[in-house]
Amino acid sequence: MKDIRTQFTALSDTTNLVYLDSAATALVPEIVLDAMSLYYKKYPANVHRGLYDMSIEATQQYEGARKSVAQFIGASPDEVVFTSGTTQGINMLAVALKKQLTSDDVIVLTRYEHHANLIPWQQLASEVGCELRFIDLILTGDEKYTVDMESARTCIDAQVKVVAYSAASHVLGTIAPIQEIQHLAKAVGAITVIDAAQAIAHMPLNVKEIDCDFLVFSGHKLYGPTGVGVLYGKKEHLEKLAPVSFGGGMVETVSYTSATWAKGPAKFEPGTPSIAAVIGLGAAVKFITSVGWKSICAHEKDIIQYAQDVLGNDTHIEVLGPTHDTDRIAVFSFCVSGIHAHDVAEICNRSHVAVRAGHHCAIPLLKYIGKESVVRASCGIYTSREDIERLATALTEAKRIFSVT
Amino acid sequence: MDDILYKEYILELYRDPLHKKNITHPTMHGKAVNQSCGDDITVMLLVDDTDRITDAGHQGVGCAISQAAVSLLIDWCIGKTIRELNELTQEHVVDMLGIHISYARKNCATLGYVALTQAIQLYERKNI
Ligand SMILES: Cc1ncc(COP(=O)(O)O)c(C=O)c1O
């Protein structure tokens, strides 16, 4: 994994950067930047319906990216809808599924959802008048910060129509027991929506093996560009669901008074898409495939263990996440006793250590675990042991300034 | 040696903020939330018949910068008139701190000030 770093300009020696904010947005490798700049330089045309070479090339590249993404998650290309990101994908679903819900139904989420996988469902629940339930986390003992399956079994009963959960928590790093939750949801015939915004960059996810109904993620957490994301939906669902926004490129027939919808993902992609970003995302998933999940997972496992050793041995640092490395991704939130998260992040920045501090768009979760605001160090394929050491040094400096001994 | 941002008096105000107390039956009170971290500050002020602040306090959680700033702000308020409070600007609050505040920390430094302007607005609306 050593030469990986050279592929990221932001990590060049001159910047001296320790980038530990990949959970917010990952750095972008040269190969992705090249793919996008090639679009703007060589064939900057709109996709679809163009009969000249440049537009045909743009369309082929755009649809090629759909194939690459489909292959990456084990879907077929007509099950891959391009969105602007995870947030848009979940909002689309929350609107589109409204017709299928009544006030007798229940939507199940977990306690650790990002606001993006909470508020759209809250809105839907209040419009339909249905109930929201939350799967608890275990908050004590050896399995602290993992999903409480007892609670999951209680929550998911015959009334449940939708189970929407993150495959991995962006605050705690917790990996959800995906197979078990899927099993419970399928048993009661509930639709499952997986927020894979975090998990997608840390572990292979195959939608056919998981057997989820929907799965959403963003390009920019996957070493791709901002402004693009994916909504995977099983073909039978996408065929059935009505579109939620309307315009050009999504129609089959149109009259002055009515319209019918195009087949396939086009139905959900009205207007000119973020063409360069989609092409960039296609390059990003190919990049990940070329690095290979085996070496990515082995590398991240090493970083997880190292970070847990380094941070976990400091009595002033409380790491908030599962202790077993098999239960987590390399995303670490922590508190330093006596120092506010903002002050920790400020002092880290002085030595070019980029961490995030705050509520991380999970205000209910922080209340639930009894925290005000926390620091988060999140890793990627380029994170090195040295990065973790430099973080530790910055934390020592923070403790010195605040006289935490 | 004193840190450029976390000067000794800033750290002291963080550990031991001034006027961090509740005011029973305050004449004015306001609250502000820092959207990036969820920190909140509530300010409470007692005002006499001549529109002068006779006592004031604050509550809430925050970083060293926001706690130091609200301490100095509330300390400044006591003895002033509402008119003087109205003339106060964000820049004054940053000046009171006596340190350079970066773009990223502006919201921390002015959290108490936002709560104060909220308090004044609520009070003036009530008294129209
Ligand atoms: C778990 C999770 N869900 C959803 C989102 C929202 O993603 P985006 O801002 O790309 O729409 C994030 C981003 O932080 C996330 O971590």
Side-chain angles (χ1 to χ4, degrees):
Chain A
M1 301 293 283
K2 272 211 202 84
D3 5 309
I4 286 279
R5 290 177 72 91
T6 61
Q7 301 180 42
F8 293 83
T9 313
L11 291 176
S12 71
D13 292 342
T14 52
T15 61
N16 199 20
L17 173 68
V18 173
Y19 189 71
L20 292 171
D21 200 19
S22 296
T25 198
L27 302 179
V28 181
E30 284 301 310
I31 199 162
V32 171
L33 298 176
D34 290 346
M36 290 193 291
S37 101
L38 198 65
Y39 163 73
Y40 281 119
K41 283 179 186 159
K42 292 276 160 72
Y43 53 96
N46 210 330
V47 290
H48 307 305
R49 298 174 307 282
L51 291 176
Y52 53 94
D53 290 347
M54 239 173 37
S55 176
I56 293 166
E57 172 76 10
T59 305
Q60 282 176 340
Q61 294 291 337
Y62 183 83
E63 292 305 326
R66 198 188 305 278
K67 279 199 197 102
S68 305
V69 169
Q71 200 170 21
F72 184 68
I73 58 170
S76 96
D78 56 2
E79 295 175 314
V80 170
V81 177
F82 288 121
T83 62
S84 69
T86 307
T87 304
Q88 196 204 359
I90 298 169
N91 275 281
M92 281 169 69
L93 284 175
V95 173
L97 291 171
K98 185 174 167 185
K99 291 200 182 91
Q100 301 183 26
L101 294 182
T102 72
S103 57
D104 294 331
D105 298 330
V106 174
I107 299 168
V108 171
L109 312 172
T110 78
R111 293 278 179 202
Y112 64 60
E113 299 311 319
H114 188 281
H115 294 166
N117 196 34
L118 169 65
I119 303 170
W121 303 114
Q122 278 177 356
Q123 292 296 311
L124 172 61
S126 81
E127 278 167 29
V128 179
C130 71
E131 187 192 341
L132 274 184
R133 281 183 201 155
F134 297 90
I135 300 175
D136 284 320
L137 300 176
I138 294 174
L139 291 179
T140 52
D142 216 27
E143 289 168 45
K144 197 169 173 182
Y145 299 122
T146 61
V147 175
D148 182 351
M149 285 312 293
E150 202 61 55
S151 165
R153 277 185 282 275
T154 316
C155 284
I156 303 174
D157 63 19
Q159 267 185 295
V160 174
K161 285 284 148 57
V162 177
V163 179
Y165 63 101
S166 294
S169 160
H170 67 294
V171 176
L172 302 170
T174 307
I175 297 174
I178 298 173
Q179 292 304 342
E180 284 142 281
I181 294 176
Q182 286 300 127
H183 186 77
L184 291 174
K186 290 289 137 183
V188 298
I191 290 171
T192 54
V193 178
I194 297 185
D195 173 353
Q198 290 300 327
I200 196 76
H202 298 283
M203 58 208 218
L205 292 172
N206 183 303
V207 291
K208 290 282 136 62
E209 282 168 21
I210 296 171
D211 196 26
C212 53
D213 297 294
F214 297 98
L215 181 136
V216 292
F217 59 91
S218 304
H220 68 101
K221 300 192 198 269
L222 193 60
Y223 313 104
T226 55
V228 62
V230 168
L231 162 61
Y232 156 82
K234 273 186 182 165
K235 201 169 169 185
E236 71 233 46
H237 287 305
L238 292 186
E239 277 170 5
K240 216 165 55 188
L241 283 188
V244 296
S245 47
F246 309 89
M250 60 164 307
V251 290
E252 194 178 54
T253 61
V254 191
S255 73
Y256 278 114
T257 51
S258 66
T260 60
W261 316 134
K263 301 276 175 294
K267 181 168 81 176
F268 300 99
E269 294 177 5
T272 299
S274 204
I275 304 167
V278 166
I279 291 167
L281 174 58
V285 300
K286 278 192 196 155
F287 167 74
I288 291 174
T289 307
S290 75
V291 179
W293 279 120
K294 221 172 130 190
S295 47
I296 293 173
C297 291
H299 173 71
E300 291 194 4
K301 194 172 165 160
D302 178 68
I303 294 292
I304 290 171
Q305 282 175 346
Y306 193 65
Q308 279 178 329
D309 286 348
V310 170
L311 301 174
N313 280 336
D314 186 328
T315 52
H316 298 293
I317 296 174
E318 183 191 358
V319 180
L320 310 166
T323 42
H324 300 295
D325 57 17
T326 48
D327 294 336
R328 61 145 53 251
I329 55 172
V331 169
F332 300 94
S333 289
F334 58 89
C335 301
V336 184
S337 60
I339 318 181
H340 189 278
H342 267 182
D343 295 317
V344 173
E346 165 106 34
I347 294 167
C348 285
N349 182 52
R350 291 178 178 181
S351 44
H352 310 288
V353 175
V355 293
R356 191 160 285 262
H359 56 57
H360 308 286
C361 293
I363 295 176
L365 170 68
L366 288 202
K367 282 228 172 78
Y368 179 71
I369 61 173
K371 300 289 173 215
E372 310 279 359
S373 73
V374 301
V375 188
R376 182 181 71 188
S378 55
C379 308
I381 52 178
Y382 34 65
T383 306
S384 64
R385 282 186 174 214
E386 195 199 330
D387 289 342
I388 305 296
E389 280 156 20
R390 283 198 32 209
L391 168 67
T393 307
L395 296 179
T396 304
E397 172 66 1
K399 286 186 291 180
R400 186 193 64 76
I401 292 172
F402 277 76
S403 312
V404 174
T405 48
Chain B
M1 198 190 68
D2 233 16
D3 191 82
I4 47 157
L5 183 64
Y6 298 107
K7 292 188 184 293
E8 205 40 59
Y9 65 89
I10 300 281
L11 292 172
E12 222 142 81
L13 290 170
Y14 174 55
R15 281 183 217 113
D16 200 6
L18 303 173
H19 313 292
K20 190 151 184 172
K21 61 178 183 188
N22 279 313
I23 301 282
T24 36
H25 309 301
T27 333
M28 314 201 290
H29 63 93
K31 182 176 172 173
V33 178
N34 185 342
Q35 292 197 351
S36 70
C37 59
D39 286 350
D40 62 64
I41 287 180
T42 301
V43 299
M44 296 152 277
L45 301 96
L46 271 182
V47 185
D48 70 10
D49 298 343
T50 65
D51 272 359
R52 198 167 286 281
I53 315 301
T54 53
D55 198 8
H58 63 97
Q59 287 293 353
V61 284
C63 58
I65 305 302
S66 75
Q67 288 296 298
V70 72
S71 290
L72 297 170
L73 173 67
I74 293 297
D75 197 53
W76 178 89
C77 285
I78 297 170
K80 300 284 190 306
T81 61
I82 293 180
R83 217 183 111 194
E84 286 172 293
L85 261 54
N86 260 324
E87 284 164 2
L88 191 74
T89 64
Q90 286 192 16
E91 287 67 37
H92 288 134
V93 178
V94 173
D95 285 348
M96 281 181 207
L97 274 170
I99 47 181
H100 174 73
I101 294 297
S102 67
Y103 173 75
R105 299 309 291 277
K106 188 88 183 271
N107 289 339
C108 306
T110 57
L111 191 59
Y113 173 80
V114 175
L116 178 66
T117 49
Q118 175 73 9
I120 298 171
Q121 267 177 22
L122 288 172
Y123 175 75
E124 291 186 335
R125 215 174 294 155
K126 209 169 60 192
N127 288 311
I128 282 174

